[in-house]
Amino acid sequence: MRGVRRRALVLTLAAVSLAGAPQVVAAQAESADEVGLLRQASVREAAGDLRGAESSLREILKKRPSSVPALLALERVLRVEGRLEDLVPAAVAALAADERSALLNQLLVRTYSALDRVRELDLAARRWIAMVPEIEIPYREVAQVWMARADYARARSVLEEGRRRIGREDALALELGDLYATLGEPQRAVREWERAVGPEARGLSQVRRRLRALPDGGAGVLPSLIDLLTAEPASMARLQAAVDLAVDAGLGERAETVARRVLPGLDPAERESFLVEVARRADGARLNRLAYWAYGEMVAAEAEEGRRLAIRNRLAELALELGDTASAAANYRAVESAYAQGTPQRRQAAALRIELVARQDVDAAAEALHEFRQEYLDAPELDRLAAAVATALVAGDRSPEAEALLAGVRGPRSGLLRGRIALARGSGSDARTAFMAAAPALRGSEATATLALITLLGRVSDEAGRRIGVALERQIAGEAGAAVDGLLGDLGELPPEDRPALLEMAAGIADSGGLADDAREVRRRLVADYPRSSEAPAALLALARALRVESGGEVEARELLERLIIEYPRSALVPQARRELQQLPRVSAEARTEGGSG
C-alpha cells in the first residue's frame, strides 16, 4: 500500500514539473529578449539615434511595463529630446503593473516635478504615501522633491505627517534636521539630529556627514549637540559618540571630560579599544593633551612589555610637543634602561627610538639608522626602520634621498614605499615592479589590496597612476575624504578608459574610511556614466548589498541585482547576485505586508 502511494506521489510531482517547464522557458526567453533590446537601445543612443533607441525601449515596455532599466533609459532619451512629458504614460502604466515599486513611484514624482505639473505631483505623492504609510521612503523622497522646488512648507508637512503616521519620535529625524538647517534654524536641526543619532548611536555617521556639510563644518552647533548626547541618562554609546564629535570639533578638553565618564563603564577589552581610538583620533586632530591623557591611561593598564614600550615612546613624543620636558625625559629613560646591552630587547628599543626620532629630526634619524645598520647587519627591524626614515624624507620632499637610503634594503615595507615614490613621479611600471616584489611577504587585506593595486596600475595611464599615488598618501594619512576628492577631481582630463577604474578605487577608499554615503554616490555615478565598463557589475552588487541593510532599501536592492543579472549575463558576479536575490523576496514581502497594513 505504501509503495502504491509513493509511486503516485512521484507521478504527481513529475506532472507538476512538466506542466511548469514551458513557463520557465518562456520567462527565460523573455529575459533574453529584454537584454537584447536594452543593448540595442544603448547602441542606438550612443550613435545619436534617439528615436531608434526610444523604439527599442518602448518595445520592452509593451511586454513588461514595469521594466525599471527600460524606463530609466527612456527617461534619459526623452529628456535629451525635450519630450519628457511623453514619459508620463509609460510611468503610469509601469505603476499599474507594480504599484509598490519605490523606484517607479519616485520616477513619476520626479517627472511631474520636472514638468512643473504640481497638482499631479501632489496626487502621485499622496497615492504613494497612502500605499505604504508606515515606511519612511516615500515621505523622504517626496520631501526632497518639494525641497528641490524650494517649497519648504510642503516638505515640512510631508515629513511631520510621516513621523506621525510611522509613530516613532526619531522617524525622519535626519531629513527634518536637514530641512531646519536649510531654513536657518540650527537649534531645531540639532534637536532632530540628536534624535537621529539614537539611543545606541547607530545614526552617528549620517549625522556627522550633515554637520560636515554645513558652511562652518558644524562648529556652531556641535557644542549643543554634545550637550544633548551627554545629558543624563546617557548610554555608553551616546557618550562615546559625544567624544567622537568633540574631537571633530577640536574640543579636546570637552572630549577628555566625557571620555573620563566613559572609562568606568567599560570592561577591560572595551576600555583598551576605546582608548586606542581616542588616542588615534586625537593624534590625527593634533589634540595633544587629549592624546597624552589617552596614552597615559593605556600605559598604566598595558601588561605586555613590547606594547608598553611603544606607548612610552609616543608619550615621550607628546610630552615634548606639549613642552613637558621632565615627562619626556622620564619616558625616554624608561625605554633606554629597560634592557641590557646586546639583548634583542635593547635592539628593538633602539629601533623604536630611531622611528621616533624620524618624526622629529629626519637627519638625526638617518645618521642613527646608519649606525644601527653597522651594528645589526641583518636585523629584522631594518626593513621597517628604513621605511620609516625614508617616509619622513618623502614627506619633506626629499624623495631622491629616500630612494638612496632604501638601497640594499629588502622587505615589504621598503618595497611598498619604493612603489609609492615611483607613483609620485609618474612611473607606473617602476611602481608595479616594486609592489610585485613586496606582495609575496604581505598578508591578509594588505596583500589583497596590493595585488589589486598592481592589477589596476597595469590598466591605467601614468597620469592616472600618479593621481592614484596621491590618493594613497592621503588615505595613509587618514584623509579618506581628501583621497576620494583627489581621485574624482577633474576626472574628465583623464582618458575615458581610466575613469571607471578611478571611480571604483574612490568607492573602495570611501568604504574603508567609513564614508558610506560617498561610496554609494560614487558607485551610482559609475553605473550611470560607464554602464559598459568592467567595473559596473561590481558597483551594482556593492550598491545592492549596501541598500539591503537600510530600512526600506530591499526593493531598490532587488532592482539593482536584477539589472546586474539581465544586463551583464556573463559577469562572474551573476551567481552572487542570484544568491543575494534569493534572500530578498521573503524580507521584501514582509516589508510590503507591513507597509500595506496601515
Side-chain angles (χ1 to χ4, degrees):
M1 190 66 178
R2 289 181 180 176
V4 172
R5 289 178 178 174
R6 187 179 295 110
R7 284 193 295 274
L9 177 61
V10 170
L11 290 172
T12 301
L13 291 174
V16 170
S17 298
L18 289 172
Q23 296 176 356
V24 173
V25 172
Q28 291 175 343
E30 184 178 334
S31 176
D33 289 344
E34 181 170 326
V35 171
L37 287 168
L38 282 170
R39 289 176 177 166
Q40 183 183 80
S42 178
V43 170
R44 288 175 171 177
E45 181 184 355
D49 181 8
L50 299 181
R51 292 287 182 171
E54 180 183 349
S55 175
S56 299
L57 295 169
R58 290 195 181 279
E59 189 173 342
I60 295 172
L61 294 172
K62 284 180 185 177
K63 298 177 181 178
R64 193 164 76 93
S66 61
S67 172
V68 173
L71 279 164
L72 293 177
L74 182 61
E75 178 190 21
R76 186 172 60 248
V77 168
L78 293 176
R79 191 181 293 275
V80 171
E81 288 190 300
R83 297 169 44 227
L84 193 58
E85 66 276 2
D86 291 348
L87 180 65
V88 172
V92 170
L95 274 174
D98 187 2
E99 62 183 5
R100 293 182 180 273
S101 169
L103 282 179
L104 293 177
N105 277 286
Q106 187 179 356
L107 174 67
L108 184 60
V109 168
R110 184 173 67 234
T111 302
Y112 281 140
S113 179
L115 294 171
D116 205 26
R117 291 164 61 170
V118 178
R119 181 175 176 278
E120 289 95 329
L121 161 59
D122 189 41
L123 289 173
R126 290 182 182 278
R127 278 195 300 269
W128 184 12
I129 289 171
M131 206 170 308
V132 282
E134 296 178 3
I135 294 179
E136 290 189 5
I137 290 176
Y139 301 105
R140 178 186 303 124
E141 298 300 332
V142 169
Q144 287 178 355
V145 169
W146 289 125
M147 285 185 69
R149 298 179 61 83
D151 193 338
Y152 301 116
R154 286 202 190 188
R156 179 175 175 178
S157 175
V158 167
L159 293 172
E160 289 178 344
E161 177 191 356
R163 173 171 289 178
R164 185 171 59 256
R165 298 181 74 174
I166 291 169
R168 289 197 338 265
E169 187 183 41
D170 63 343
L172 301 163
L174 279 171
E175 290 73 23
L176 279 163
D178 294 345
L179 175 63
Y180 289 133
T182 302
L183 293 174
E185 300 182 44
Q187 292 310 310
R188 299 190 73 174
V190 165
R191 179 65 67 178
E192 293 297 338
W193 286 333
E194 178 266 330
R195 291 190 178 109
V197 169
E200 297 304 319
R202 292 191 177 92
L204 175 62
S205 62
Q206 291 178 297
V207 170
R208 179 182 273 145
R209 283 189 56 78
R210 264 69 177 182
L211 293 168
R212 289 175 177 169
L214 295 176
D216 63 352
V221 297
L222 270 168
S224 299
L225 180 56
I226 293 167
D227 288 342
L228 291 172
L229 292 173
T230 56
E232 295 290 359
S235 67
M236 284 292 105
R238 283 169 71 89
L239 289 175
Q240 291 181 54
V243 173
D244 279 354
L245 293 175
V247 173
D248 284 348
L251 304 173
E253 186 175 347
R254 187 82 168 93
E256 183 179 339
T257 299
V258 181
R260 288 179 182 274
R261 286 178 59 188
V262 171
L263 281 187
L266 303 177
D267 63 36
E270 292 173 332
R271 178 188 179 97
E272 179 184 8
S273 177
F274 173 69
L275 287 170
V276 168
E277 183 64 13
V278 171
R280 184 189 68 80
R281 297 198 63 234
D283 268 341
R286 300 196 62 79
L287 298 173
N288 293 336
R289 194 162 298 281
L290 174 62
Y292 187 78
W293 168 80
Y295 282 117
E297 293 289 332
M298 288 166 62
V299 80
E302 181 57 58
E304 203 274 309
E305 188 64 31
R307 290 191 60 187
R308 190 187 306 127
L309 181 64
I311 295 170
R312 281 199 177 278
N313 269 291
R314 181 60 185 139
L315 275 172
E317 180 179 283
L318 285 168
L320 282 176
E321 293 182 7
L322 291 169
D324 188 352
T325 54
S327 179
N331 279 289
Y332 278 127
R333 195 178 305 114
V335 172
E336 294 293 335
S337 62
Y339 306 110
Q341 187 76 33
T343 61
Q345 292 86 353
R346 192 174 186 91
R347 185 194 71 233
Q348 293 165 3
L352 283 169
R353 176 176 54 81
I354 294 171
E355 284 189 82
L356 180 60
V357 172
R359 303 173 197 171
Q360 304 286 338
D361 186 343
V362 67
D363 291 315
E367 184 178 345
L369 176 61
H370 177 70
E371 296 172 358
F372 183 90
R373 293 178 73 170
Q374 289 182 324
E375 185 173 354
Y376 305 106
L377 291 177
D378 298 315
E381 298 86 2
L382 183 56
D383 174 47
R384 187 187 80 238
L385 271 182
V389 178
T391 296
L393 288 168
V394 170
D397 292 327
R398 298 164 65 179
S399 293
E401 295 176 61
E403 288 190 276
L405 185 143
L406 292 172
V409 179
R410 294 290 176 264
R413 306 267 69 82
S414 53
L416 289 175
L417 183 57
R418 283 193 192 92
R420 287 161 47 197
I421 292 171
L423 275 182
R425 68 166 181 263
S427 178
S429 59
D430 288 349
R432 287 190 76 217
T433 300
F435 289 137
M436 285 191 287
L442 299 173
R443 295 291 181 271
S445 60
E446 188 176 32
T448 303
T450 301
L451 291 172
L453 181 58
I454 291 168
T455 303
L456 175 60
L457 292 175
R459 293 163 43 207
V460 300
S461 65
D462 280 352
E463 173 54 29
R466 187 198 63 76
R467 190 177 292 199
I468 288 168
V470 173
L472 287 174
E473 295 302 321
R474 289 173 174 171
Q475 184 185 20
I476 290 168
E479 301 172 1
V484 170
D485 292 343
L487 286 169
L488 302 183
D490 298 324
L491 198 61
E493 295 181 358
L494 294 175
E497 58 271 19
D498 286 351
R499 299 170 195 168
L502 264 65
L503 285 167
E504 181 180 52
M505 183 177 184
I509 291 176
D511 279 335
S512 62
L515 306 175
D517 289 348
D518 284 342
R520 282 196 295 274
E521 181 181 340
V522 171
R523 289 190 174 105
R524 288 188 190 281
R525 178 177 173 185
L526 197 163
V527 298
D529 294 351
Y530 305 98
R532 289 186 289 276
S533 68
S534 59
E535 292 82 4
L540 284 169
L541 184 60
L543 269 174
R545 285 173 170 168
L547 288 165
R548 275 191 61 189
V549 300
E550 290 188 0
S551 174
E554 298 91 345
V555 174
E556 186 179 358
R558 179 187 296 105
E559 289 165 348
L560 292 170
L561 292 169
E562 289 174 346
R563 179 179 172 187
L564 195 164
I565 294 166
I566 292 172
E567 296 186 17
Y568 308 92
R570 297 185 179 180
S571 170
L573 298 177
V574 166
Q576 295 182 50
R578 291 189 187 280
R579 285 195 295 272
E580 298 274 347
L581 200 56
Q582 289 171 359
Q583 298 171 17
L584 280 173
R586 181 180 62 82
V587 177
S588 181
E590 291 174 358
R592 290 185 179 187
T593 302
E594 181 182 353
S597 65

